[in-house]
Amino acid sequence: MTLILGRKRGMTQLFADDGAVTGVTVVAAGPCVVCQTKTDEVDGYNAVQLGFEDIRDKVSKKPLRGHYKKAGTATKRFLREERLSAPPQLAVGDTVTVEQFQEGDVVDVVGTSKGRGFAGTIKRHGFHRGPETHGSHNVRQPGSIGCSAYPGRVFKGKRMSGHYGAARHTVKNLRILQVDTERNLLYIKGAVPGPRNGLVQVRTAKTGVKKG
Amino acid sequence: MDLIDNLEAEVCKRVPPKAHVGDTVDVHYLIREGDKERIQIFSGTVIALKGRGIRRTITVRRIVQGEGVERIFPLHGPRVQEVVIMRRGKVRRARLYYMRDRVGKSTRVTELLGDKVRREREQDTADQAAQEAADAAAAQAAEKTVEANETDTEPVEV
């Protein structure tokens, strides 16, 4: 069980002893409280549910308030669960901190990407731009979107303009370079989805990790 | 203050090395040879300053055996020991990339002279002395507290 909830606080860089510079994202994670545990017999699957960051009761929804009351914790802003292969070791009310992570651990980070609104095909799908000069009016246009009388329609799934961003995104296999247990900070190598102060989930990498 | 600014303030050098575009500088850079470490000096002209805070870098250009060599040094990097300004330069650009197209005499930069430079240099040396004095005082204070702690703990040990 290695999930923790937190907020992305921004990016900076770290110097290694040999002078090498690494870009890192600082995530202020935890302490989180276990709000519910789920087991195979009762719920059909094993999981642990964590809550992060206290909020005023007034801000939360009434049914959720009941849920937190049942767990005996303060009302939380961010509630997420992690599926487990075995029945959970943690009990309701336990706290989870960054201490469960170590330097060198490989993690996945789940967050909500920055919203781009209604974006064109260049930004949204990485299409190429048309020529800007020589009388061209086809600078950021998508180009042809299909054939003529046969098939006589546009194929489903054709990449076009539309809403882009503000969606759940996972970045896999990022390495933890530093753990600050005093201030509850994780230094994660590379970039993480979302804006500064966006809520993120950090969990042990599910794929791509060499065993042993 | 923002958290990131605080974290960077902890990691960065308190007094970052000074350099201006056009200056001729000696960069004292720590290199590793096997398990020995020694300081290598790279001297050349600063042709660009980039970044702010902990990300600040200087690009130093020099001609080695007729071939232009440029190195980029992060000013807050642990390997950059010191940047010594040998000569101030009088330039009218923020980036001296035109130096890359030049060879021989035309690569020279006019020396910046005058009262302002002299005053700045005096100020720098004064600052440095003050800093060293402060450091020494801090070290002494730290030593004293250590001593005090030792005297505190002695009766307990006995």
Side-chain angles (χ1 to χ4, degrees):
Chain A
M1 160 63 218
T2 43
L3 171 75
I4 198 160
L5 313 176
R7 273 182 189 281
K8 169 178 170 177
R9 294 303 297 271
M11 290 190 75
T12 179
Q13 62 181 29
L14 292 179
F15 290 105
D17 285 339
D18 63 352
V21 172
T22 324
V24 291
T25 309
V26 180
V27 174
C32 300
V33 179
V34 178
C35 294
Q36 195 185 354
T37 55
K38 295 187 176 179
T39 54
D40 221 348
E41 299 100 62
V42 184
D43 308 280
Y45 64 98
N46 297 311
V48 158
Q49 195 181 66
L50 297 182
F52 172 64
E53 221 169 68
D54 291 355
I55 49 169
R56 285 171 297 146
D57 277 354
K58 210 175 128 189
V59 181
S60 72
K61 299 241 169 22
K62 214 170 177 183
L64 266 179
R65 233 176 286 162
H67 181 65
Y68 292 114
K69 203 177 168 190
K70 201 172 157 191
T73 65
T75 315
K76 300 287 177 186
R77 189 188 299 278
F78 193 40
L79 189 70
R80 287 290 180 275
E81 71 177 34
E82 168 86 336
R83 279 226 188 190
L84 305 169
S85 50
Q89 306 283 320
L90 292 161
V92 172
D94 287 357
T95 25
V96 174
T97 62
V98 289
E99 280 169 40
Q100 62 173 333
F101 289 105
Q102 274 169 356
E103 210 179 298
D105 282 0
V106 179
V107 293
D108 295 341
V109 181
V110 185
T112 307
S113 58
K114 282 184 185 174
R116 271 90 170 175
F118 190 98
T121 48
I122 293 175
K123 188 184 278 285
R124 195 175 182 217
H125 301 297
F127 281 17
H128 291 281
R129 176 174 57 67
E132 282 183 323
T133 52
H134 298 290
S136 163
H137 294 292
N138 176 33
V139 181
R140 294 182 73 93
Q141 303 299 317
S144 167
I145 57 167
C147 310
S148 185
Y150 182 79
R153 62 189 173 88
V154 176
F155 290 122
K156 276 189 173 177
K158 173 70 197 149
R159 292 177 297 168
M160 292 197 200
S161 310
H163 182 262
Y164 178 44
R168 178 190 155 106
H169 270 276
T170 308
V171 179
K172 291 180 176 177
N173 301 326
L174 300 175
R175 203 164 279 280
I176 290 181
L177 293 187
Q178 216 168 298
V179 180
D180 189 336
T181 49
E182 255 172 50
R183 284 178 290 199
N184 294 312
L185 299 179
L186 292 173
Y187 292 68
I188 299 171
K189 184 178 172 180
V192 154
R196 261 171 289 154
N197 297 320
L199 292 162
V200 293
Q201 305 169 53
V202 181
R203 62 162 195 239
T204 306
K206 286 195 170 172
T207 56
V209 187
K210 277 178 193 159
K211 292 262 158 61
Chain B
M1 222 159 111
D2 179 50
L3 174 81
I4 297 289
D5 290 342
N6 279 329
L7 296 176
E8 286 182 355
E10 283 170 26
V11 179
C12 73
K13 295 173 185 170
R14 276 175 311 157
V15 187
K18 256 192 185 173
H20 317 79
V21 172
D23 290 359
T24 307
V25 294
D26 277 5
V27 180
H28 294 235
Y29 194 75
L30 198 65
I31 58 165
R32 182 168 286 155
E33 284 176 339
D35 19 320
K36 263 190 232 162
E37 284 188 337
R38 70 179 182 88
I39 285 170
Q40 192 182 53
I41 295 173
F42 187 87
S43 42
T45 315
V46 179
I47 63 164
L49 276 165
K50 278 185 177 179
R52 282 177 299 165
I54 199 168
R55 280 169 292 278
R56 196 155 184 78
T57 61
I58 54 172
T59 307
V60 184
R61 180 179 173 86
R62 69 175 295 188
I63 308 289
V64 182
Q65 293 168 355
E67 191 64 41
V69 176
E70 276 176 27
R71 285 192 71 177
I72 300 169
F73 296 98
L75 288 185
H76 287 278
R79 297 255 140 192
V80 177
Q81 300 274 309
E82 206 180 348
V83 177
V84 183
I85 300 172
M86 306 308 283
R87 188 169 171 275
R88 291 291 304 276
K90 190 173 173 185
V91 290
R92 300 172 73 165
R93 298 280 177 280
R95 307 270 153 85
L96 308 182
Y97 293 146
Y98 62 85
M99 287 290 180
R100 292 172 177 168
D101 306 326
R102 298 206 174 173
V103 274
K105 276 191 177 177
S106 58
T107 58
R108 287 173 306 176
V109 176
T110 337
E111 183 164 8
L112 184 66
L113 297 166
D115 284 350
K116 197 183 159 209
V117 173
R118 209 187 57 238
R119 275 202 304 276
E120 270 179 20
R121 195 176 299 148
E122 277 165 8
Q123 185 62 43
D124 283 353
T125 39
D127 284 351
Q128 211 173 351
Q131 187 64 47
E132 272 165 22
D135 283 353
Q140 230 166 24
E143 239 170 64
K144 249 180 204 167
T145 50
V146 168
E147 272 170 31
N149 285 341
E150 274 167 10
T151 46
D152 281 351
T153 52
E154 255 170 13
V156 182
E157 280 168 8
V158 170

